[in-house]
């Protein structure tokens, strides 16, 4: 019975003090009500649309220096089931919202993580058998992942160089 007395007293106290509060009412829900004020988004609603896939299989093949086929949904493979490249697109808002978490996860997964210079924010993460890059800019957010490219893994900085070429080709 004693365990129920304290919660009941607290509930009554909260009810009595909350009924006649002088604090202003919370803002009404509407467009942008949940948006953090520190996000670098345009005020006109731009940045809330995900861009389309920015590459074709021919462009990917040229950028990574290996023949690739379109597997659909902005995913590309070598046709042998080994090398894979995917580009995940999202709105600028989504990219800004998940960026810190993605970067933290990359630091735990990859051997090196390097911040990108230039417009927007981003990082490049590399390990021996794969790489990931995230770029958040005015046209949206892009996450590019590469894995199991034998030729890239055999070269010093092969994955990093390929990712930089891919990032340079993304719309800003």
């Amino acid at each position: 019975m004693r365990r129920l007395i304290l919660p009941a007293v607290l509930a009554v106290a909260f009810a009595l003090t909350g009924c006649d509060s002088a604090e202003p009412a919370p803002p009404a829900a509407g467009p942008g009500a949940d948006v953090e004020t520190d996000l670098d988004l345009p005020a006109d609603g731009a940045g809330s649309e995900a861009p389309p896939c920015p590459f074709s299989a021919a462009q990917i093949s040229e950028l990574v220096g290996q023949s690739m086929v379109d597997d659909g949904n902005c995913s590309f493979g070598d046709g042998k089931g080994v090398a894979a490249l995917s580009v995940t697109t999202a709105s600028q808002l989504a990219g800004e919202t998940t960026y810190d978490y993605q970067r933290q996860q990359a630091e735990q997964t990859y051997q090196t993580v390097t911040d990108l210079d230039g417009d927007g924010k981003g990082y490049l993460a590399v390990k021996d058998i794969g790489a990931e890059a995230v770029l958040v800019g005015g046209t949206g957010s892009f996450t590019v992942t590469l894995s199991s490219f034998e030729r890239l893994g055999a070269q010093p900085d092969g994955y990093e160089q390929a990712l930089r070429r891919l990032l340079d080709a993304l719309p800003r």
Side-chain angles (χ1 to χ4, degrees):
M1 181 70 167
R2 278 190 236 164
R3 286 185 273 157
L4 298 176
I5 294 173
L6 182 58
V9 169
L10 288 175
V12 170
F14 287 136
L16 292 175
T17 59
C19 289
D20 218 7
S21 177
E23 293 182 33
D34 295 331
V35 176
E36 292 286 331
T37 56
D38 64 345
L39 298 179
D40 297 327
L41 297 175
D44 63 359
S48 61
E49 296 290 322
C53 183
F55 300 115
S56 67
Q59 290 169 311
I60 291 291
S61 298
E62 183 179 328
L63 291 166
V64 297
Q66 179 174 330
S67 179
M68 301 294 285
V69 295
D70 189 338
D71 291 336
N73 202 24
C74 215
S75 295
F76 306 89
D78 63 359
K80 302 172 191 167
V82 180
L85 184 150
S86 68
V87 181
T88 304
T89 64
S91 68
Q92 182 183 8
L93 174 60
E96 291 278 353
T97 303
T98 61
Y99 179 81
D100 291 334
Y101 176 76
Q102 283 183 283
R103 192 174 191 306
Q104 180 184 26
Q105 292 301 305
E107 288 176 354
Q108 295 175 12
T109 305
Y110 294 91
Q111 292 166 332
T112 61
V113 179
T114 307
D115 288 322
L116 299 174
D117 295 328
D119 297 338
K121 71 167 97 170
Y123 67 84
L124 187 137
V126 180
K127 62 182 177 181
D128 57 344
I129 61 168
E132 172 182 281
V134 172
L135 178 65
V136 180
T139 61
S141 173
F142 301 91
T143 301
V144 181
T145 56
L146 289 88
S147 62
S148 303
F149 281 80
E150 186 176 319
R151 187 185 68 75
L152 294 178
Q155 299 174 27
D157 300 328
Y159 276 107
E160 182 176 347
Q161 291 172 11
L163 269 178
R164 289 195 182 274
R165 286 190 300 273
L166 288 160
L167 290 171
D168 288 343
L170 287 173
R172 304 276 173 150

